[in-house]
């Protein structure tokens, strides 16, 4: 099992890749602590994991609140005795928002969640990792940091910052045997993207398959990468197979963007 006996915290667990990371991590032997603002959703995911024989705890929380971050870490320590891994996937997204003074509050809000929320969560877990001199932190970024799209400035800026944060902290935490990496995700085929593309298809008056085909045309592997497959790639960074991997990124997008 890839994550046997590891204790993993995952933030921003929602109906897309977040819940897939949680369920797969548990199936691979990890004890999972899930953080998100939607208490009902993560409670349901935790119940599914436990019903399948896994270990999971749901902790409703907001990463912009440092006390909430401390509470998530404390729950993990109280329940399982340590923290081996942290996946920061909480973010805020608003599309179609060109730069301008009226948009600045959204830039701030995006940074508060994806950047400073991530830093607060890292601050909450790192003392425990330093004490054991071991740990893995994964900060989820996006392909849009390399190929920006119009109107996504707040989201792209916050996710780009995570790439720099990951390199900086990989250097600072390396002497404690704590690894920090930041994979860049592309399209993620799951409920959120399916709903978005369905609405787009309805607006254009075309079948969903036609909208999907337009995207897949630029993906060498021929599919929009499924949530669960992308989740497995992320979880690799938490595993012992990645013990010598730190301060780097990994493009997880089916080949749509190659660098």
């Amino acid at each position: 099992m890839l994550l046997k006996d590891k204790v993993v915290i995952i933030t921003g667990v929602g109906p897309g890749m977040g819940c897939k990371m949680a369920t797969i991590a548990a199936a691979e032997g990890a004890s999972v602590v899930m953080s998100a603002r939607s208490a009902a959703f993560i409670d349901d995911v935790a119940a599914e994991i436990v019903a399948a024989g896994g270990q999971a705890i749901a902790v409703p929380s907001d990463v912009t609140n440092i006390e909430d971050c401390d509470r998530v870490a404390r729950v993990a320590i109280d329940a399982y005795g340590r923290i081996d891994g942290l996946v920061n996937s909480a973010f805020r997204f608003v599309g179609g928002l060109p730069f301008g003074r009226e948009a600045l509050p959204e830039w701030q809000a995006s940074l508060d969640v994806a950047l400073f929320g991530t830093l607060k969560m890292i601050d909450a877990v790192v003392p425990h990792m330093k004490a054991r001199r071991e740990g893995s932190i994964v900060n989820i970024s996006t392909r849009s940091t390399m190929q920006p799209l119009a109107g996504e400035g707040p989201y792209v800026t916050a996710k780009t910052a995570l790439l720099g944060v990951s390199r900086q902290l990989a250097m600072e935490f390396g002497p404690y045997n704590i690894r920090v990496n930041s994979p860049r995700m592309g399209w993620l085929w799951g409920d959120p993207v399916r709903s978005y593309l369905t609405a787009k298809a309805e607006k254009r008056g075309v079948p969903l398959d036609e909208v999907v085909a337009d995207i897949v045309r630029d993906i060498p592997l021929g599919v929009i990468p499924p949530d669960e497959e992308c989740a497995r790639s992320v979880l690799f960074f938490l595993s012992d197979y990645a013990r010598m991997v730190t301060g780097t990124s990994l493009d997880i997008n089916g080949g749509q963007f190659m660098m």
Side-chain angles (χ1 to χ4, degrees):
M1 304 174 86
L2 189 69
L3 302 176
K4 182 174 173 56
D5 298 328
K6 292 190 181 295
V7 178
V8 175
I9 295 173
I10 304 174
T11 73
V13 173
M17 189 177 71
C19 68
K20 297 298 194 305
M21 287 191 293
T23 55
I24 294 171
E28 290 289 346
S31 298
V32 181
V33 177
M34 292 176 290
S35 160
R37 288 180 297 175
S38 176
F41 182 81
I42 58 175
D43 282 344
D44 287 345
V45 176
E48 291 175 6
I49 290 172
V50 171
Q55 296 287 328
I57 300 174
V59 186
S61 54
D62 181 346
V63 295
T64 66
N65 184 317
I66 199 164
E67 288 80 13
D68 278 10
C69 294
D70 288 339
R71 181 164 53 87
V72 172
R74 187 167 60 251
V75 167
I77 293 296
D78 290 347
Y80 303 120
R82 68 182 192 277
I83 299 169
D84 296 294
L86 166 65
V87 179
N88 289 301
S89 65
F91 68 94
R92 178 183 175 93
F93 178 82
V94 175
L97 189 67
F99 179 78
R101 181 169 298 188
E102 66 282 358
L104 290 180
E106 184 56 43
W107 287 66
Q108 181 68 61
S110 293
L111 288 166
D112 285 345
V113 175
L115 175 58
F116 290 103
T118 289
L119 292 173
K120 290 171 184 177
M121 198 64 236
I122 291 173
D123 179 71
V125 306
V126 158
H128 304 287
M129 291 181 173
K130 284 183 175 180
R132 297 183 59 245
R133 301 189 68 81
E134 185 171 15
S136 176
I137 298 169
V138 184
N139 300 321
I140 304 296
S141 188
T142 173
R143 175 179 64 92
S144 296
T145 61
M146 309 302 291
Q147 294 180 316
L149 298 175
E152 295 185 4
Y155 172 73
V156 170
T157 298
K159 289 294 190 177
T160 300
L162 289 184
L163 299 173
V165 162
S166 299
R167 290 190 292 268
Q168 179 66 31
L169 296 186
M171 182 273 293
E172 293 191 22
F173 297 163
Y176 299 94
N177 196 32
I178 299 170
R179 298 176 288 108
V180 189
N181 294 288
S182 187
R184 290 188 293 251
M185 318 308 297
W187 285 100
L188 296 164
W189 185 251
D191 290 342
V193 166
R194 185 182 294 106
S195 297
Y196 167 73
L197 294 182
T198 297
K200 187 174 182 178
E202 290 173 352
K203 185 176 180 179
R204 288 172 50 186
V206 299
L208 174 61
D209 288 348
E210 182 175 325
V211 176
V212 171
D214 288 342
I215 296 170
V216 168
R217 190 174 296 114
D218 296 326
I219 302 177
L221 289 184
V223 296
I224 295 179
D227 281 344
E228 57 270 22
E229 296 300 335
C230 296
R232 290 186 176 94
S233 297
V234 172
L235 295 176
F236 159 77
F237 286 109
L238 301 179
S239 77
D240 289 343
Y241 287 111
R243 291 181 69 86
M244 291 295 109
V245 181
T246 194
T248 192
S249 189
L250 175 67
D251 290 304
I252 304 172
N253 55 45
Q256 186 176 18
F257 173 79
M258 299 185 186
M259 180 178 177

